[in-house]
Amino acid sequence: MNSNVRPADMARINTPELADKFIAEQVELLKKQIGDKKVLLALSGGVDSSVVAALLIKAVGKNLTCVHVNHGLLRKGEPEQVIKVFKEQLGANLVYVDATDRFLDKLANVTDPEQKRKIIGAEFIRVFEEEARKLEGIEFLGQGTIYPDILESDGVKAHHNVGGLPEDLQFELVEPVKLLYKDEVRVVGARLGLPENMVNRQPFPGPGLGVRCTGAITRDRLHALRESDAILRDEFAKAGLAGKVWQYFTIVPDYKSTGIKDGKRIWEWPVIIRAVNSIDATSASIEEIPYELLHKIVNRILAEVDGVNRVLYDLSPKPIATIEWE
Ligand code: XMP
């Protein structure tokens, strides 16, 4: 039987009981597969790799080493949450690598979106490879592959792209959620005790904020992007929209417009709000955000985020506009 094909009679995991059963079975299988050997996992903090990490912690404990690479393009509070949940609460062996400067130096003056993606992907593999080489006796590599990845691609996620590791670092793969759909991964994650905002996280692209800071990324514009995104998420959460809107974020383009502050003319960036509903990202419609909430978000961004003098709301559906701006 091809282990990459979901059996026709496999029940959809949609209850806590079914999730518990899956967890118990997978923990046994992982124990059997790994024994007392060591496993390495790139832990992004996204739901898939987080669920794999939590399963592996249950199965092999300290024989799992998680590597969390901060490429400087994560959202506000994300690296801190990964450290808190996995190191402090679940007692994982976690290596945290702040590679912000490395990534941003490589990305300086790079304007082409695909080139930016390539640099981020390649640098991620390089950082991960360096960390893997520091560790001894690793035989397995954990991956957060899920069933749509197998159906839609060659089974390796773009943003977990550790498939590009060199020949001498080819470990045996451990992919405990590879037959699950996203909604099932979320049910399993909740039963594993992962925080609600991690389990129900909106999709976040591998290149992270890098494709929302359009054109050549600069640290000050990236800062404005991270802060405005945090305000949007905070207000959506308070308004009860966080779990209802499929994907929502801000964009800071690389151009400026005039404004006026303290009686003086200023020349600053706009922030663009994007909030879409979708099922599988191939098409998207616009969420109708109440005007009152929009005003609140606009006022907060203008008051709290340095370098910003305008807030715009993108009402374009996909198609014709893509969800991301790059
Ligand atoms: P677009 O912009 O093409 O996005 O409408 C569709 C979905 O894919 C996400 N996206 C990415 N995810 N690496 C990823 O892992 C990428 O380079 C990338 N580009 C877009 C986007 O956030 C949306 O959910």
Side-chain angles (χ1 to χ4, degrees):
M1 194 186 76
N2 183 344
S3 64
N4 277 351
V5 177
R6 186 174 164 121
D9 61 352
M10 184 171 155
R12 191 88 177 192
I13 301 171
N14 53 12
T15 63
E17 294 72 30
L18 286 170
D20 288 347
K21 186 165 165 274
F22 174 85
I23 293 166
E25 284 167 3
Q26 283 306 318
V27 167
E28 278 318 300
L29 286 172
L30 289 168
K31 280 185 176 163
K32 223 184 251 168
Q33 184 186 2
I34 299 162
D36 56 5
K37 309 262 171 55
K38 292 186 176 166
V39 197
L40 182 61
L41 173 75
L43 176 60
S44 68
V47 59
D48 307 334
S49 64
S50 295
V51 166
V52 171
L55 282 170
L56 281 165
I57 290 165
K58 262 187 179 293
V60 303
K62 294 279 185 195
N63 278 342
L64 167 73
T65 299
C66 300
V67 176
H68 179 56
V69 177
N70 179 358
H71 51 26
L73 304 165
L74 298 173
R75 289 173 293 194
K76 189 171 179 174
E78 279 186 329
E80 292 82 357
Q81 187 182 33
V82 169
I83 293 168
K84 186 165 158 225
V85 170
F86 288 97
K87 196 166 185 154
E88 293 166 20
Q89 293 173 1
L90 298 179
N93 224 338
L94 176 79
V95 178
Y96 170 64
V97 190
D98 185 353
T100 301
D101 288 337
R102 262 177 85 153
F103 279 82
L104 295 189
D105 289 350
K106 280 249 153 61
L107 288 163
N109 304 314
V110 180
T111 54
D112 178 65
E114 290 318 310
Q115 191 58 26
K116 284 163 71 173
R117 281 186 169 80
K118 272 195 199 125
I119 290 172
I120 295 165
E123 197 60 16
F124 181 85
I125 294 169
R126 229 164 281 142
V127 173
F128 189 74
E129 180 189 337
E130 283 172 21
E131 293 308 316
R133 288 197 189 285
K134 288 183 199 163
L135 302 165
E136 274 172 24
I138 302 283
E139 292 192 25
F140 295 90
L141 183 69
Q143 292 258 29
T145 315
I146 64 171
Y147 205 45
D149 300 324
I150 290 176
L151 297 178
E152 289 158 25
S153 67
D154 57 2
V156 178
K157 287 192 167 185
H159 65 288
H160 287 185
N161 207 350
V162 279
L165 286 172
E167 199 61 23
D168 65 320
L169 285 179
Q170 293 299 319
F171 309 110
E172 187 179 323
L173 289 185
V174 176
E175 299 175 296
V177 297
K178 72 175 175 184
L179 296 184
L180 303 194
Y181 288 100
K182 195 76 166 194
D183 54 296
E184 299 179 296
V185 180
R186 295 193 204 277
V187 180
V188 169
R191 291 305 288 174
L192 284 164
L194 296 177
E196 211 274 333
N197 69 342
M198 197 172 246
V199 168
N200 289 317
R201 219 169 84 131
Q202 53 168 322
F204 188 59
L209 300 180
V211 290
R212 299 173 182 170
C213 190
T214 70
I217 299 167
T218 58
R219 281 162 206 263
D220 46 5
R221 208 151 48 83
L222 191 56
H223 182 74
L225 177 59
R226 186 172 282 122
E227 293 300 317
S228 58
D229 176 76
I231 291 170
L232 181 74
R233 287 192 289 137
D234 182 42
E235 291 300 332
F236 265 43
K238 283 192 209 148
L241 285 178
K244 292 195 185 127
V245 182
W246 193 76
Q247 199 173 7
Y248 48 97
F249 53 89
T250 60
I251 299 115
V252 181
D254 58 343
Y255 51 78
K256 292 183 174 179
S257 74
T258 49
I260 187 144
K261 200 177 195 174
D262 303 327
K264 281 198 200 102
R265 224 172 130 84
I266 49 168
W267 180 237
E268 296 184 331
W269 302 298
V271 160
I272 296 154
I273 295 172
R274 189 96 170 111
V276 300
N277 277 322
S278 178
I279 291 174
D280 56 8
T282 54
S283 65
S285 59
I286 297 307
E287 172 70 19
E288 293 199 7
I289 307 175
Y291 256 85
E292 200 184 331
L293 176 62
L294 272 177
H295 279 297
K296 203 165 165 200
I297 294 166
V298 170
N299 290 338
R300 274 196 65 191
I301 291 175
L302 292 177
E304 296 173 33
V305 184
D306 284 342
V308 170
N309 65 352
R310 242 172 242 275
V311 181
L312 313 175
Y313 181 25
D314 181 355
L315 289 170
S316 324
K318 175 180 180 178
I320 189 171
T322 49
I323 295 173
E324 302 290 347
W325 267 49
E326 283 192 337

